[in-house]
């Protein structure tokens, strides 16, 4: 049975329509567009000054059931919200704020936490260059009362996870509570005390406050087996006094 020309035309038109619909559905299912993820872990209330180092472009389905930001101008120039973000997560508008909370002072490297005071601590200037923005540090007191190498020299862990705020006029600024300020000033009065610091971060475990350790590992029981033999400190030979030769 031969189809009439009108029937063949109708079948051809329906085929074209089917192919067009199928092609449109395929394109919709596979169409993508550019979105952005955070390129690093960023703490709360940090300013996003540029896309470089902060954002990374990725492709996402155009037909999706989740919100993303496709224009970097909607991200750059804003602050991270009260909850920090982690790298490789899609940027959401709910993670950003237009301005800092009112009444909270911002320092070069961090926002002053609520309930804390910005305070200057005396640590070696050579250490200040290793701290990144908003690092958490442990503050350690090194006690050497007589200025000589002796068994009573010790290091005392004063505070843990103190947030850094930046270096201002060559002074190292941290966020302290009132109690920490009082304790720090008290330790400054101890004869022979100096201070140093180490990066700790939240992932590290807590230790008892004011935990004292010997400054030289040979003074601790079993520590030499853990860290290896201590570096010997030579004791200078006493200088023998000689009587001057009589003048002839």
């Amino acid at each position: 049975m031969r189809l009439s020309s009108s029937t063949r035309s109708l079948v051809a038109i329906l085929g074209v329509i089917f192919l067009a619909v199928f092609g449109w559905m395929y394109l919709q299912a596979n169409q993508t567009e550019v979105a952005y993820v955070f390129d690093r872990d960023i703490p709360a209330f940090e300013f996003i000054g540029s896309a470089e180092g902060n954002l990374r472009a990725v492709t996402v389905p155009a037909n999706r059931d989740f919100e993303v930001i496709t224009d970097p101008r909607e991200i750059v120039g804003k602050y991270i919200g009260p909850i920090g973000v982690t790298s490789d997560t899609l940027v959401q508008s709910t993670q950003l704020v237009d301005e800092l909370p009112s009444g909270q002072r911002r320092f070069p490297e961090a926002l002053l936490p609520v309930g804390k005071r910005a305070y200057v601590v005396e640590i070696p200037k050579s250490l200040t260059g290793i701290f990144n923005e908003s690092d958490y540090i442990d503050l350690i007191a090194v006690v050497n009362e007589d200025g000589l190498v002796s068994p009573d020299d010790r290091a005392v862990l004063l505070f843990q996870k103190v947030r850094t705020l930046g270096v201002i006029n060559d002074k190292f600024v941290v966020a302290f509570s009132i109690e920490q300020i009082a304790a720090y000033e008290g330790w400054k009065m101890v004869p022979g005390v100096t201070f140093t610091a180490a990066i700790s971060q939240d992932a590290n475990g807590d230790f008892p406050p004011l935990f004292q350790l010997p400054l030289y590992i040979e003074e601790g029981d079993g520590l030499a087996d853990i860290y290896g033999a201590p570096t010997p400190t030579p004791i200078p030979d006493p200088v023998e006094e000689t009587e001057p030769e009589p003048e002839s």
Side-chain angles (χ1 to χ4, degrees):
M1 177 180 176
R2 297 184 63 183
L3 298 176
S4 64
S5 59
S6 60
T7 302
R8 288 196 300 271
S9 298
L10 178 60
V11 171
I13 293 172
L14 290 176
V16 170
I17 293 174
F18 173 79
L19 290 175
V21 172
F22 178 81
W24 179 84
M25 292 176 63
Y26 178 82
L27 289 175
Q28 288 296 309
N30 293 275
Q31 189 174 1
T32 61
E33 60 182 342
V34 174
Y36 294 89
V37 298
F38 294 107
D39 201 27
R40 62 185 177 92
D41 296 345
I42 307 178
F45 299 119
E46 182 169 323
F47 182 69
I48 306 299
S50 67
E52 184 178 357
N54 296 312
L55 305 175
R56 187 173 70 254
V58 296
T59 56
V60 295
N63 184 20
R64 58 185 182 275
D65 57 359
F66 55 91
E67 294 291 333
V68 296
I69 296 178
T70 58
D71 187 347
R73 293 174 295 182
E74 297 181 20
I75 307 171
V76 175
K78 295 191 176 183
Y79 297 87
I80 299 299
I83 300 176
V85 296
T86 57
S87 62
D88 299 321
T89 57
L90 283 168
V91 181
Q92 306 281 333
S93 58
T94 55
Q95 298 169 311
L96 307 170
V97 294
D98 293 328
E99 57 187 12
L100 297 177
S102 60
Q104 281 191 261
R105 167 74 182 276
R106 183 170 181 81
F107 286 83
E109 294 182 358
L111 188 72
L112 181 63
V114 175
K116 299 290 186 178
R117 278 75 174 172
Y119 208 71
V120 173
V121 293
E122 299 176 359
I123 65 174
K125 290 183 180 180
S126 59
L127 293 178
T128 59
I130 72 170
F131 299 116
N132 292 325
E133 295 180 355
S134 302
D135 272 336
Y136 288 87
I137 64 170
D138 294 338
L139 189 67
I140 302 163
V142 178
V143 185
N144 183 351
E145 296 183 8
D146 55 11
L148 304 173
V149 176
S150 55
D152 62 346
D153 299 340
R154 62 195 186 279
V156 182
L157 177 60
L158 298 183
F159 312 117
Q160 286 189 284
K161 298 177 183 176
V162 175
R163 181 180 284 265
T164 65
L165 298 175
V167 179
I168 303 175
N169 296 329
D170 294 329
K171 302 293 184 181
F172 195 68
V173 184
V174 299
F176 266 174
S177 66
I178 290 294
E179 292 81 5
Q180 287 173 318
I181 293 174
Y184 173 78
E185 288 298 325
W187 273 91
K188 282 176 64 176
M189 298 180 185
V190 174
V193 69
T194 57
F195 298 95
T196 189
I199 298 173
S200 59
Q201 300 307 96
D202 281 336
N204 287 9
D206 288 324
F207 298 95
L210 305 184
F211 188 71
Q212 300 199 26
L213 295 170
L215 195 57
Y216 306 102
I217 60 174
E218 58 263 38
E219 299 298 332
D221 295 336
L223 290 181
D225 295 334
I226 298 175
Y227 296 105
T231 302
T233 303
I235 300 176
D237 295 329
V239 178
E240 296 183 1
E241 295 184 2
T242 58
E243 296 183 2
E245 296 182 0
E247 297 180 359
S248 57

